[in-house]
Amino acid sequence: MKPLFSALFLLLSFSAFAQEKDSIPRKQIYISRILEAPKIDGLLDDAAWKNAATATNFVERLPNNGRPIPDSLATSVKVAYDNLGIYFAAQMLDPEPSEIRKELTERDGIGNDDFFFILLNGYNDHQQSMQFIVTAAGVQYDAKMTNGNEDSSWNAIWYSGVDINDRGWTAEIFIPYSELRFPEKAVQEWGLQMEREFKRSGTRYSWSPVDNAKGSFSIYDGEIHGIEHIQTPVRLSVQPYVSTYLNNYDGETTTSINGGMDLKYGINDAFTLDMILIPDFGQTKFDESVLNLSAFEVQYDEQRPFFTEGTELFTKGDLFYSRRVGGAPFGDIQLSEEEEVLDFPSSVDLINALKVSGRTDGGLGIGFFNAITEKTYVSVKNTETGTTRRQLIEPFTNYNILVLDQRYGDNSSVSLVNTNTTREGNFRDANATGLYIDHTNKTNTFNYFGGIEGSWVMEEGTKAGMEAQAGVSKISGKNRMDLNANLRTKDYDINDLGYSSATNFVRYQGLYQRRLLQPKGFLNNMYLNWVSVHERRLEPDLHSKWILNFNCSFTTREFFNFGGGFETTPIGTNDIYEPRVDGRYFSIPPYYDVWVWFNTDFRKKLVLEAVADWYKYDERGRGDLIFDFAPRYRFSDKFNLRLSTNLRLSDKEEGFVDFLDDDILFGQRDRNTIVNSLGANYIFNNKMGLNLAFRHYYSEVFYTEFYTLQNDGDLSFYGPKNDEYNTTYNSWNLDLRFSWWFAPGSQMTLLYRNATDSYLERSHINIGNNFKNLFDQPQVNSLSLRISYYLDYNRVKSWFKSPAKPNVPQDVIGYRESKMRF
């Protein structure tokens, strides 16, 4: 290990000085201040646009990289600014305006749409941009893009209008400075990229040319010049909410009314405070629960908006798993022999949370996160006396994260991350710290990365562990490669505020990729990947697995996508986690896995997606067969329907079952799982929509034989099948949601939710009885209404002011007037 890590870090250090900088041409546009703001309605007839600077000569980025845009699709964008924000007016020609794609979606959704795309980078550092998209249907989409990675959870307050005319379509956009981040200086120089999607031919055109052969998309920004002496407004907004719930569970009906507020404050032009006061997450999406037989917990996606929006700094190093905050209690329950738990809470109440994040003009990003959760108790009953008592399972808990992220060069950074969990009293505390470097050389042909982390858990002593990783990647040209290594010690544990599963391993991985950079023959693109992964247990040393993988994907000129692959573990696997005991392992025979997949053209009304995947083990009768089938149909630009079926049939699977007195019990089992999902949208207009989401999950496990695990990883026969451990699990969720964005940043949501699940200790139940058992369980029926209203300090302040005097700057007057017309 030492020679490998030393070599990688030497390469990293050398690359910082050994490369000459590529001369990447950057388009520039010089814009002027306007005195009267245009009306944001998509009609480009305002006086403000007459003498505005114009960006032209767009170039195709996909699929024919570098080809000039045809005259029939000529695109021009006028750009201007005032004291309150920046304005864009895009004219996009189309020879067949009646064929412009304009499917309606909910906000932050893009369907079968033409769209116009803006990237603004206030620090002009090629690394993080704010993304604003408006579709030809008038739907807004915004995100943060960091080194080519998109975070669509970020939501901004901006204004747009579109119009389809006999020449094509137009888009008009106003982005307030309050939604941007830039240094505090007299003369601004921002990064700018603009793109147009022409959906009928599947082509995309960018203003500043992009070379798809190397580097990330963000390094090809152009530049905006001419923004000078802007006086940014106070960046303060609050979003109060009120919500009410009518819940029925197991025949008991309850009602509740809640209120709270989110607050955002711009500490300066670079840093923002986000705070949530009296949180309410009752309308978050349901988790896709599963029957988990593995050695690790299921990692569910975060659904709560506060924890998904603006967290790109806090995800550095993957030390933060936000579901820990307000998630399941962490403590243990102390029970006597005659006691049982009456109820175990699935979550902990969040008192409040805040985050401060931003970046200085020198490229230093600073992030601070803090959250406090409430005390949580369980009810315990004495079965002999009938008395009950409460036991503290989770005390007051404070969660902290501090991130320092220094950017340098066009696409590089060094980051320090610390997470801390402190629990009141004699409960478990934890700390984790990571240092990371991500360096791309000056020619944007190689990327070098490395990191080291330490974890400390304080609970009846201190448990300390570490992780280290390093790698180098060739990121340019048709032929690309990646070599990396990763090591975790046995006591590495970040699960108080992060998520870690496998530990006690060292892993080596290599990748070779062959790409098609320009359309050729009947193909638009092609990816061929060869991967090798070798993993060993650290202490004591033991071969774990060696995986060989080939996978490929292709897109034809007609946008039919298909691919497949092959994977094998030629010498089998020693699984060190399945026994659930340190030092033990379970030997799994070699397997090979073959899969194919396809999806049809997403521009069509009917789209079909399918996957077939087959695992075959070097053991008689053992294998996995997986099918996925997902059709979708677009009835109109307002209504679409999506179905999905996933079927998995596992024969003679072997795994952990239970602990015996002196042995570990394993079982051979057949497992059948089927997941059916239905989704539908009816979108009334670009601010109002109806959404249906349904999911039914079914999994049954039938044990055929039982074994004990031997010290050499093999199994010894213990007994024939019995019904003791057979299982059938069902989960049913249905959400019907009406959403209305009745004002910028303000939303009303009416949600009906129906949910139930059942866990039975038997299997081979026929369909009729299975659903009877499911619906015999207590159901949640919930109807909720939530209304939130966005209030901007500058807007509220203007309500109490007298009419503007003649000496008030005209751009402010124009903005006020135009606000009434948005």
Side-chain angles (χ1 to χ4, degrees):
M1 281 299 299
K2 288 182 178 178
L4 174 62
F5 277 94
S6 298
L8 288 170
F9 278 107
L10 283 173
L11 282 170
L12 174 64
S13 303
F14 177 75
S15 69
F17 305 99
Q19 303 292 338
E20 294 299 324
K21 187 174 179 68
D22 257 2
S23 178
I24 299 175
R26 303 191 70 186
K27 272 191 173 181
Q28 297 181 345
I29 184 170
Y30 290 79
I31 68 175
S32 301
R33 183 189 297 266
I34 56 176
L35 297 179
E36 183 178 356
K39 181 180 178 182
I40 307 300
D41 56 5
L43 304 176
L44 312 185
D45 54 0
D46 303 270
W49 299 125
K50 289 183 180 178
N51 298 312
T54 306
T56 57
N57 300 320
F58 280 59
V59 176
E60 186 171 337
R61 179 162 76 90
L62 296 171
N64 294 282
N65 188 225
R67 188 166 67 179
I69 192 171
D71 292 340
S72 60
L73 299 176
T75 300
S76 62
V77 185
K78 294 180 180 291
V79 190
Y81 78 100
D82 63 13
N83 269 354
L84 296 156
I86 187 166
Y87 302 81
F88 296 84
Q91 171 71 65
M92 292 157 281
L93 298 186
D94 191 312
E96 299 178 88
S98 62
E99 297 299 317
I100 291 173
R101 302 300 171 89
K102 52 183 187 303
E103 181 184 0
L104 283 163
T105 66
E106 293 187 287
R107 194 186 194 280
D108 284 335
I110 295 177
N112 186 45
D113 291 290
D114 285 21
F115 60 78
F116 176 63
F117 172 120
I118 298 168
L119 282 178
L120 285 172
N121 185 330
Y123 290 94
N124 200 19
D125 63 2
H126 295 288
Q127 296 201 34
Q128 186 178 78
S129 300
M130 308 300 188
Q131 175 180 295
F132 304 89
I133 297 176
V134 62
T135 72
V139 177
Q140 290 186 350
Y141 178 105
D142 41 33
K144 286 184 180 179
M145 184 175 286
T146 305
N147 298 336
N149 298 313
E150 187 177 284
D151 175 14
S152 61
S153 64
W154 177 71
N155 287 309
I157 307 300
W158 50 289
Y159 306 87
S160 61
V162 300
D163 180 63
I164 296 177
N165 52 55
D166 58 3
R167 299 183 62 204
W169 72 286
T170 56
E172 204 166 16
I173 293 171
F174 168 59
I175 303 170
Y177 295 134
S178 59
E179 305 307 313
L180 304 173
R181 301 294 176 266
F182 47 86
E184 187 175 352
K185 56 185 182 182
V187 178
Q188 300 287 329
E189 292 182 3
W190 295 354
L192 171 68
Q193 182 63 285
M194 296 178 287
E195 288 199 337
R196 173 196 181 175
E197 173 86 2
F198 183 59
K199 184 62 80 172
R200 293 203 302 281
S201 66
T203 51
R204 187 172 293 189
Y205 302 94
S206 60
W207 170 62
S208 186
V210 175
D211 183 0
N212 288 343
K214 64 178 179 179
S216 67
F217 172 68
S218 57
I219 68 172
Y220 296 98
D221 288 352
E223 289 183 324
I224 298 179
H225 295 266
I227 302 176
E228 299 179 357
H229 305 292
I230 55 176
Q231 299 175 0
T232 56
V234 175
R235 291 192 292 114
L236 172 63
S237 65
V238 295
Q239 193 167 35
Y241 79 86
V242 61
S243 62
T244 180
Y245 294 85
L246 175 65
N247 298 318
N248 180 276
Y249 178 72
D250 200 16
E252 182 178 347
T253 300
T254 59
T255 60
S256 62
I257 298 177
N258 307 304
M261 185 172 67
D262 295 348
L263 179 146
K264 291 182 185 289
Y265 175 62
I267 300 170
N268 56 30
D269 287 338
F271 289 89
T272 301
L273 165 68
D274 291 294
M275 181 177 291
I276 183 168
L277 304 172
I278 315 177
D280 173 30
F281 301 123
Q283 289 194 336
T284 54
K285 295 179 181 178
F286 55 76
D287 290 327
E288 296 186 349
S289 59
V290 298
L291 176 62
N292 182 22
L293 300 180
S294 76
F296 306 115
E297 66 173 314
V298 178
Q299 186 176 16
Y300 290 111
D301 292 336
E302 179 60 83
Q303 309 287 1
R304 300 168 294 177
F306 178 83
F307 293 97
T308 59
E309 181 181 339
T311 57
E312 67 284 346
L313 271 176
F314 303 105
T315 57
K316 290 276 183 178
D318 290 329
L319 290 178
F320 180 37
Y321 176 41
S322 59
R323 291 291 294 259
R324 298 293 184 210
V325 181
F330 219 94
D332 294 325
I333 307 173
Q334 303 299 323
L335 298 176
S336 62
E337 292 183 359
E338 64 275 6
E339 288 184 322
E340 65 179 9
V341 175
L342 291 180
D343 57 359
F344 191 93
S346 60
S347 62
V348 174
D349 289 338
L350 177 66
I351 297 175
N352 59 52
L354 66 85
K355 52 182 184 274
V356 177
S357 61
R359 193 170 295 275
T360 68
D361 191 21
L364 176 62
I366 302 174
F368 174 73
F369 170 90
N370 180 266
I372 301 172
T373 56
E374 180 63 276
K375 288 183 178 180
T376 305
Y377 295 85
V378 295
S379 296
V380 177
K381 180 180 179 180
N382 188 304
T383 57
E384 293 183 355
T385 65
T387 58
T388 61
R389 65 179 177 88
R390 297 174 73 209
Q391 179 173 325
L392 183 66
I393 189 69
E394 183 81 7
F396 281 121
T397 305
N398 188 81
Y399 299 91
N400 281 297
I401 304 173
L402 175 65
V403 182
L404 302 175
D405 178 57
Q406 179 63 57
R407 291 178 181 165
Y408 64 94
D410 281 347
N411 210 0
S412 304
S413 66
V414 178
S415 308
L416 176 69
V417 182
N418 175 263
T419 69
N420 180 271
T421 304
T422 303
R423 295 182 172 91
E424 184 184 43
N426 296 321
F427 282 75
R428 164 177 167 141
D429 298 330
N431 189 286
T433 301
L435 177 65
Y436 313 94
I437 186 164
D438 190 321
H439 177 82
T440 300
N441 67 351
K442 293 182 178 180
T443 56
N444 288 289
T445 53
F446 282 88
N447 174 260
Y448 308 85
F449 61 91
I452 186 167
E453 300 165 2
S455 71
W456 295 266
V457 174
M458 285 68 76
E459 184 181 32
E460 298 179 357
T462 299
K463 181 177 72 171
M466 68 155 300
E467 178 178 25
Q469 59 269 334
V472 56
S473 301
K474 181 178 181 291
I475 57 173
S476 64
K478 296 178 180 179
N479 300 292
R480 304 195 176 195
M481 290 171 283
D482 178 271
L483 294 171
N484 64 78
N486 182 214
L487 173 151
R488 278 186 188 173
T489 64
K490 182 173 65 174
D491 290 331
Y492 178 79
D493 185 353
I494 61 170
N495 285 310
D496 291 80
L497 194 45
Y499 178 88
S500 60
S501 52
T503 60
N504 195 24
F505 68 83
V506 59
R507 180 186 300 130
Y508 308 91
Q509 180 169 305
L511 163 71
Y512 169 72
Q513 181 184 81
R514 173 75 175 180
R515 297 172 24 136
L516 184 65
L517 296 174
Q518 294 281 18
K520 184 176 182 180
F522 72 99
L523 292 177
N524 263 345
N525 62 57
M526 174 190 73
Y527 297 89
L528 306 176
N529 302 297
W530 289 264
V531 183
S532 176
V533 180
H534 178 214
E535 187 173 305
R536 301 190 68 84
R537 183 174 67 183
L538 274 179
E539 50 175 298
D541 178 65
L542 176 73
H543 163 78
S544 181
K545 59 186 173 185
W546 178 35
I547 300 174
L548 295 175
N549 176 289
F550 168 75
N551 63 85
C552 58
S553 67
F554 307 87
T555 302
T556 71
R557 289 185 180 269
E558 299 301 318
F559 294 92
F560 179 80
N561 301 281
F562 65 97
F566 174 82
E567 181 176 287
T568 184
T569 52
I571 56 177
T573 300
N574 289 322
D575 189 330
I576 66 173
Y577 311 109
E578 188 65 14
R580 275 75 156 174
V581 175
D582 285 344
R584 302 293 295 275
Y585 63 93
F586 168 49
S587 295
I588 301 174
Y591 72 78
Y592 60 83
D593 174 24
V594 181
W595 69 93
V596 293
W597 61 269
F598 75 86
N599 61 259
T600 59
D601 187 352
F602 285 99
R603 300 171 300 171
K604 305 296 185 182
K605 286 190 172 184
L606 176 64
V607 178
L608 300 177
E609 297 181 82
V611 178
D613 192 357
W614 182 44
Y615 287 82
K616 181 65 180 74
Y617 289 82
D618 188 13
E619 185 176 297
R620 184 178 178 86
R622 183 174 179 181
D624 275 357
L625 189 60
I626 303 169
F627 289 107
D628 276 310
F629 182 61
R632 65 182 73 176
Y633 190 77
R634 188 175 67 255
F635 293 90
S636 69
D637 283 339
K638 292 186 175 184
F639 178 44
N640 66 71
L641 183 69
R642 306 171 305 281
L643 302 173
S644 174
T645 295
N646 173 271
L647 175 66
R648 180 165 189 167
L649 306 176
S650 299
D651 293 333
K652 295 190 176 181
E653 173 184 293
E654 294 172 344
F656 172 87
V657 177
D658 204 350
F659 291 108
L660 303 176
D661 291 338
D662 297 314
D663 287 310
I664 303 173
L665 184 67
F666 269 59
Q668 184 181 88
R669 58 203 179 205
D670 293 340
R671 181 175 182 181
N672 302 317
T673 301
I674 184 167
V675 186
N676 288 303
S677 301
L678 168 66
N681 288 323
Y682 188 88
I683 310 300
F684 301 95
N685 54 46
N686 62 353
K687 294 180 175 62
M688 189 184 298
L690 188 65
N691 175 273
L692 172 69
F694 163 78
R695 176 180 181 265
H696 174 237
Y697 173 92
Y698 164 85
S699 186
E700 72 161 6
V701 180
F702 176 74
Y703 284 90
T704 55
E705 291 182 345
F706 293 94
Y707 310 91
T708 54
L709 180 66
Q710 305 303 296
N711 288 329
D712 63 359
D714 289 338
L715 298 177
S716 177
F717 183 76
Y718 179 77
K721 68 178 181 179
N722 63 59
D723 296 336
E724 182 180 358
Y725 295 101
N726 292 347
T727 301
T728 300
Y729 176 69
N730 281 266
S731 174
W732 168 288
N733 296 91
L734 183 147
D735 282 10
L736 180 62
R737 184 184 75 248
F738 172 77
S739 183
W740 175 29
W741 292 88
F742 58 89
S746 305
Q747 186 179 19
M748 183 190 82
T749 305
L750 181 65
L751 173 68
Y752 169 73
R753 173 167 291 169
N754 172 246
T756 187
D757 65 356
S758 70
Y759 182 90
L760 301 175
E761 294 181 345
R762 60 182 188 273
S763 59
H764 288 178
I765 304 171
N766 65 47
I767 293 177
N769 288 334
N770 178 71
F771 280 99
K772 182 179 183 301
N773 291 325
L774 174 62
F775 292 114
D776 281 344
Q777 304 303 311
Q779 295 184 40
V780 172
N781 285 279
S782 173
L783 182 66
S784 61
L785 175 67
R786 189 179 195 273
I787 300 174
S788 63
Y789 192 75
Y790 175 80
L791 292 170
D792 178 77
Y793 167 80
N794 300 284
R795 189 175 176 191
V796 173
K797 184 176 65 173
S798 70
W799 295 348
F800 302 99
K801 283 191 173 183
S802 58
K805 305 296 183 183
N807 63 346
V808 175
Q810 289 298 306
D811 57 339
V812 176
I813 298 173
Y815 174 69
R816 283 199 196 121
E817 293 174 348
S818 64
K819 286 284 285 185
M820 302 300 293
R821 297 178 286 175
F822 283 141

